[in-house]
Amino acid sequence: MDSESESPKTSTTRHKCSACYKQYKKKDHLVEHMKASYHSVHQPKCGVCQKHCKSFESLREHLTGPLPKANCSRIFSDQGCDLCLKVFDSPNSLSEHKETCCLSAPAPLGTIIIPPIESQIDISGSTNGNQVGRVPEAVAMDCEMVGGGSDGSLDLCARVCLIDEDENPIFHTYVQPQIPVSNYRYEVTGITEEHLRNAMPLKEVQEKILEILYNGESIGRLRLDGGKARLLVGHDLEHDLDCLRMNYPDHLLRDTAKYRPLMKTNLISHSLKYLTRAYLGYDIQSGVHDPYEDCVSAMRLYKRMRSQDHQVEGSGTNTDTYHTQSFISVFDSRKPRELEKMTPDELYEISRSCYRCWCLDSRQVLQQNANLWRAW
């Protein structure tokens, strides 16, 4: 008898992650991977093989990068959208989708000197039947900065624009810097001394912006759960708020520079210019930066992320408790021996995201309606 046939055959068991398909020799290594990866239904995933990725940039590399997954790349090249990265069942469906997915650039406001724009919006804080079942209102904001200080490196807010979800300007004005301007950064801002000669004082600008954002809500309710206060959308909002010398609760901010699915694979922020080209299909900031144009791009990115249709996570997670519950690892409450006995699918089932998906802004409506139905 052949000696090779007599030798025992050994096989190595591989433990495969149900989300990203990484494989491990030891089960405890898979458990550690699940603890650190924060896989969830909210992660971007390939429409072909269903692999989960950390960000849309990781998914883009998986589909079209230097070393893409061959089968996924082949199908995506025929049936995939380069902007939203979805895969459709036919080239015809893809063609119809692209007509709405690829957007055109908004017309900029320009730098002509005009009186401050203030739309008539409801800031009475009154509640009526139409408030129930609505997605929380969002307002996008962008500022343009000039330079102060001896070398012009100190950022001073000189122009601010706010728009509503329908891309209508609701507040737009030039802002009077509190210290002398040493560099107008004209090539980027288009702002001159004349624009700021009779500009609105910073304190008045702050009051009007907060009036819009608070929407008649009390500070206590604002800090607790927001109430009727508006969500603030933008790109690098921390910088804009800092230059305006304002604060707004973190849980009401929707920042496209810090939203994990829109970040680079190493979790570094992309520029708004890149995000607009990559996910909306048009160019901005090719010359003088226009705050209205930037507001529209940030709002469109937010609404595109908000409209994602993700399945509901298991284990009783809902939008009321998600903010406080999901960032605490469920794995920490389980014993190591218990975790090692779980299958890869079961490990994925208890895994939770480490960020709050913007789709939950829309899902709050479903939760509110469900609560009302139970009460009724």
Side-chain angles (χ1 to χ4, degrees):
M1 184 179 292
D2 186 38
S3 59
E4 291 185 2
S5 62
E6 295 179 348
S7 60
K9 295 181 179 180
T10 59
S11 61
T12 303
T13 301
R14 309 288 291 185
H15 303 280
K16 184 178 180 180
C17 174
S18 298
C20 67
Y21 307 148
K22 289 183 179 179
Q23 298 186 34
Y24 299 88
K25 291 182 179 180
K26 296 182 178 181
K27 188 62 173 291
D28 60 324
H29 291 174
L30 173 60
V31 172
E32 290 303 315
H33 161 75
M34 295 302 293
K35 287 182 178 181
S37 63
Y38 297 101
H39 288 310
S40 81
V41 297
H42 299 292
Q43 282 184 320
K45 64 180 180 179
C46 175
V48 181
C49 71
Q50 304 303 307
K51 175 185 177 181
H52 288 240
C53 299
K54 287 184 178 180
S55 65
F56 282 105
E57 198 69 11
S58 300
L59 176 57
R60 195 181 298 276
E61 290 184 4
H62 170 78
L63 294 168
T64 63
L67 296 171
K69 189 72 173 180
N71 185 53
C72 298
S73 178
R74 177 179 58 80
I75 295 176
F76 183 79
S77 63
D78 293 330
Q79 298 169 213
C81 175
D82 294 329
L83 297 177
C84 66
L85 304 182
K86 292 180 181 178
V87 177
F88 293 83
D89 55 6
S90 70
N92 287 337
S93 298
L94 173 62
S95 180
E96 292 177 2
H97 163 79
K98 283 189 173 181
E99 292 181 3
T100 58
C101 195
C102 185
L103 304 177
S104 57
L109 291 178
T111 56
I112 184 172
I113 301 177
I114 56 176
I117 295 175
E118 293 183 59
S119 293
Q120 297 299 315
I121 60 174
D122 180 17
I123 55 174
S124 63
S126 61
T127 303
N128 53 54
N130 294 329
Q131 293 291 333
V132 178
R134 290 183 59 189
V135 174
E137 287 185 278
V139 167
M141 181 178 76
D142 184 71
C143 300
E144 289 301 324
M145 318 296 180
V146 292
S150 59
D151 59 355
S153 62
L154 183 63
D155 287 340
L156 307 173
C157 181
R159 189 181 182 191
V160 62
C161 179
L162 277 74
I163 67 167
D164 62 21
E165 291 192 28
D166 296 322
E167 303 177 8
N168 300 310
I170 54 178
F171 183 61
H172 171 235
T173 185
Y174 289 99
V175 184
Q176 191 176 84
Q178 292 189 307
I179 64 173
V181 177
S182 53
N183 184 357
Y184 285 90
R185 304 173 184 173
Y186 178 77
E187 294 79 8
V188 175
T189 66
I191 295 174
T192 65
E193 182 179 358
E194 183 64 21
H195 289 105
L196 305 182
R197 192 179 305 279
N198 297 308
M200 185 178 290
L202 180 61
K203 183 174 178 57
E204 188 176 345
V205 171
Q206 294 169 340
E207 291 172 352
K208 292 188 178 296
I209 292 176
L210 290 177
E211 186 179 28
I212 292 169
L213 295 178
Y214 279 34
N215 195 24
E217 196 57 88
S218 66
I219 295 179
R221 182 71 181 275
L222 184 82
R223 292 172 179 171
L224 179 63
D225 61 7
K228 298 185 297 295
R230 294 180 168 94
L231 303 176
L232 180 58
V233 177
H235 190 81
D236 195 11
L237 283 170
E238 184 178 353
H239 182 234
D240 284 352
L241 289 170
D242 184 54
C243 291
L244 284 167
R245 301 187 180 183
M246 289 173 51
N247 294 305
Y248 203 57
D250 288 345
H251 64 278
L252 297 178
L253 301 181
R254 301 293 183 265
D255 195 333
T256 56
K258 294 184 177 180
Y259 190 51
R260 280 178 175 260
L262 292 177
M263 298 175 82
K264 298 179 183 179
T265 54
N266 59 355
L267 298 182
I268 299 297
S269 300
H270 277 296
S271 68
L272 182 60
K273 182 182 179 72
Y274 171 83
L275 293 176
T276 302
R277 162 49 54 188
Y279 296 99
L280 301 177
Y282 62 89
D283 290 310
I284 61 171
Q285 302 176 352
S286 55
V288 171
H289 291 198
D290 189 283
Y292 173 73
E293 194 177 49
D294 291 355
C295 278
V296 170
S297 294
M299 180 62 80
R300 289 175 177 179
L301 286 167
Y302 165 69
K303 291 170 71 174
R304 183 154 289 184
M305 295 295 104
R306 185 180 69 183
S307 65
Q308 294 180 101
D309 185 19
H310 296 147
Q311 69 184 76
V312 179
E313 290 180 314
S315 302
T317 300
N318 60 54
T319 55
D320 293 333
T321 59
Y322 188 92
H323 189 73
T324 58
Q325 194 178 66
S326 69
F327 303 128
I328 302 173
S329 176
V330 181
F331 294 97
D332 293 338
S333 63
R334 307 290 183 102
K335 295 180 180 180
R337 189 181 298 275
E338 179 186 358
L339 292 172
E340 290 181 19
K341 289 181 179 179
M342 299 175 73
T343 66
D345 286 345
E346 289 172 337
L347 289 172
Y348 171 67
E349 180 64 24
I350 66 171
S351 183
R352 290 291 173 268
S353 172
C354 60
Y355 64 90
R356 188 187 190 283
C357 183
W358 289 348
C359 81
L360 296 174
D361 290 344
S362 294
R363 190 158 292 163
Q364 284 179 356
V365 174
L366 301 178
Q367 187 69 37
Q368 290 169 4
N369 290 340
N371 291 340
L372 286 172
W373 175 259
R374 285 195 294 268
W376 184 79

